[in-house]
Amino acid sequence: FIITSEEAIAKGIRRIVALTGPEAEKARKKTALLENQINLLKGSVDGAGDDAFMKEVSKQINDLNNDVSQAVIPYVKKDELRNILKDLKKKLADREKLAKAAVANVVLEQTKELCEKNPDAKFFVHRFNAFNNTKALDSAFKLLKTTNPEASAMFVSVDEDSKKIFCLASVSKSGIDKGLKANEWVQQISTVINGKGGGKAESAQASGPNYETADKVLELA
């Protein structure tokens, strides 16, 4: 005898739907199958590495959550499995945050090193391995403005998983006064990356699918 659902149908009245016999046995087997799939997912979450793999695992969690929601299985078990999937989703999100934080820290360290080695540079054109983490590039610009407020920069990053290239530009006030504008700078490389972009004289960005053109973009910039 398996209770598959319970719900309110009127004030003070609830309805219970249950199965017995062969149908109850089917529900038990379906539960065992879903539990097995969730156990496999636990291993995937623990071993999740690069961004593409984490996205795939996240999709699997969402798909399995839908399967659990639609499955005819014991009501209590359904609630339990949903909570397990919810915890797995949070664990994966925490891993993703840590990975992005690690990338951002590396980018900041490299920016600091660039500034220290070139204290009088008026502009920087540099490629970071920030993948699709454009927030890490924004942080690099903030550090640059603090360390060398007169410098302008274009930072580039390639994310092979999403097959995209990201180009962000930031121009100082003195750079603008001399004729350099971030939006015009970005426009010069937009056609090369087959992308779209825009912004203002102070800051602009573009992204496109021609991620293999990174070297050409750096040279042109």
Side-chain angles (χ1 to χ4, degrees):
F1 181 87
I2 288 174
I3 296 173
T4 58
S5 69
E6 65 91 17
E7 59 186 348
I9 58 172
K11 186 177 181 181
I13 301 174
R14 300 191 75 80
R15 173 168 57 201
I16 288 174
V17 178
L19 300 173
T20 61
E23 292 303 314
E25 186 59 28
K26 282 183 187 177
R28 287 190 189 280
K29 288 180 179 178
K30 181 64 177 178
T31 302
L33 180 65
L34 290 169
E35 284 180 320
N36 186 52
Q37 289 177 305
I38 287 175
N39 286 332
L40 290 174
L41 262 183
K42 286 180 181 177
S44 296
V45 169
D46 290 336
D50 58 51
D51 191 51
F53 187 62
M54 283 197 281
K55 285 179 181 177
E56 177 58 30
V57 174
S58 179
K59 182 180 180 300
Q60 289 176 13
I61 292 173
N62 290 334
D63 290 344
L64 191 50
N65 192 57
N66 289 333
D67 289 345
V68 170
S69 297
Q70 295 171 16
V72 180
I73 61 175
Y75 182 79
V76 173
K77 207 68 181 175
K78 179 178 287 192
D79 203 40
E80 179 186 317
L81 296 182
R82 279 175 175 164
N83 285 331
I84 292 172
L85 288 168
K86 184 179 177 181
D87 289 341
L88 286 178
K89 188 83 173 177
K90 184 181 182 303
K91 188 175 182 180
L92 193 65
D94 290 342
R95 286 176 67 90
E96 191 174 358
K97 284 180 184 177
L98 286 173
K100 286 188 174 181
V103 168
N105 287 335
V106 171
V107 168
L108 286 175
E109 283 299 318
Q110 291 176 349
T111 304
K112 184 179 178 182
E113 188 177 338
L114 275 175
C115 292
E116 288 175 350
K117 287 184 177 180
N118 307 277
D120 300 319
K122 298 303 178 187
F123 74 92
F124 293 91
V125 174
H126 188 76
R127 176 179 174 176
F128 290 103
N129 289 325
F131 310 104
N132 65 349
N133 192 348
T134 53
K135 287 185 177 180
L137 299 183
D138 285 334
S139 297
F141 284 128
K142 289 177 182 176
L143 179 60
L144 178 64
K145 286 178 181 177
T146 303
T147 309
N148 189 347
E150 296 298 312
S152 302
M154 180 178 286
F155 293 149
V156 176
S157 181
V158 170
D159 183 37
E160 293 186 2
D161 292 331
S162 61
K163 293 181 170 55
K164 277 190 175 183
I165 181 171
F166 301 89
C167 306
L168 282 70
S170 178
V171 177
S172 65
K173 186 179 182 303
S174 60
I176 295 172
D177 292 340
K178 292 175 182 176
L180 179 62
K181 296 180 181 178
N183 50 352
E184 293 178 357
W185 202 2
V186 161
Q187 284 171 7
Q188 293 295 313
I189 55 91
S190 291
T191 52
V192 178
I193 65 174
N194 190 27
K196 295 180 180 178
K200 301 177 181 179
E202 298 84 9
S203 64
Q205 61 181 348
S207 62
N210 288 357
Y211 67 98
E212 304 98 333
T213 61
D215 291 338
K216 189 175 180 180
V217 166
L218 293 170
E219 184 182 351
L220 182 60

